[in-house]
Amino acid sequence: MQIRLVKGVTGGFVAPTPEFQILVDYNPTTKQFKIERAVKSGSDYKTTETSAKEHLALVEQTVAELQSLNQLPIEQPVGAQDIYRFDMSLSVQGDGFYWQNTPNQGCDIQESPLPSDDQRQHFKRLCDLIIALGQKAQ
C-alpha cells in the first residue's frame, strides 16, 4: 500500500508551495514499510525516513483506519476546490483500493459538493494519523 499526504497544495495566482510531504510504503505480506517525510526548509526540502520495526503497529493501525476513506467524498470534478478546507491532498492505493482527493491548485475554482462537518473531521483525523507517522521519521 502506498500513502501520500501533502500539506500546502492549494494555489491561486501563484503555484502552491507544499510545506511538507509524507510517503508511506507498506507491504502487508512481508510487514515491511518505509516512512519518508520531506519538510520545506528555506528553498529546499529536508528529507528523513525510517523503517524501524517499533513503528509497525502504528503503520498497521493507520492502514486499517484508511479503509474508511471510501465513505468520504472527493472533489467533483477532480481538482474543483479544496472541499475539506485543510489545504491537504491525500492519496491511498494498494490491493484493489484507491482513493485520492485533489484540491484546486490554481485560479480556476469550480463548485463541488461539500462534505458534512463529520466527514471533514473524519478526513482530518485520518490526516492526523499520517502526520503522526511522518513524525516518526525524524
Side-chain angles (χ1 to χ4, degrees):
M1 175 170 275
Q2 294 180 319
I3 303 164
R4 179 175 182 248
L5 175 77
V6 182
K7 170 72 172 160
V9 294
T10 55
F13 292 111
V14 178
T17 304
E19 295 172 37
F20 64 83
Q21 173 177 274
I22 298 167
L23 298 171
V24 181
D25 283 317
Y26 171 64
N27 183 325
T29 304
T30 64
K31 306 278 187 191
Q32 293 184 326
F33 67 91
K34 179 173 83 169
I35 304 167
E36 183 178 299
R37 181 175 178 235
V39 178
K40 184 143 180 70
S41 177
S43 62
D44 206 0
Y45 288 87
K46 179 184 174 196
T47 303
T48 55
E49 65 179 55
T50 185
S51 296
K53 295 291 182 197
E54 66 201 56
H55 306 308
L56 178 60
L58 185 56
V59 170
E60 291 180 324
Q61 173 195 352
T62 302
V63 166
E65 294 266 352
L66 289 172
Q67 300 303 312
S68 66
L69 279 169
N70 61 6
Q71 301 169 12
L72 297 180
I74 58 172
E75 296 76 10
Q76 295 296 329
V78 172
Q81 64 178 318
D82 181 10
I83 63 172
Y84 290 101
R85 309 268 193 263
F86 294 116
D87 195 20
M88 288 190 262
S89 175
L90 176 58
S91 173
V92 179
Q93 60 185 3
D95 295 331
F97 184 85
Y98 180 79
W99 190 93
Q100 178 176 347
N101 76 311
T102 309
N104 181 280
Q105 298 177 357
C107 299
D108 186 25
I109 297 173
Q110 300 176 35
E111 290 297 316
S112 180
L114 298 176
S116 68
D117 287 342
D118 287 343
Q119 289 172 321
R120 284 186 72 240
Q121 290 310 310
H122 186 75
F123 176 79
K124 174 86 167 75
R125 189 176 65 75
L126 295 173
C127 290
D128 287 345
L129 285 171
I130 297 165
I131 291 168
L133 272 180
Q135 291 172 340
K136 303 297 182 188
Q138 293 194 36

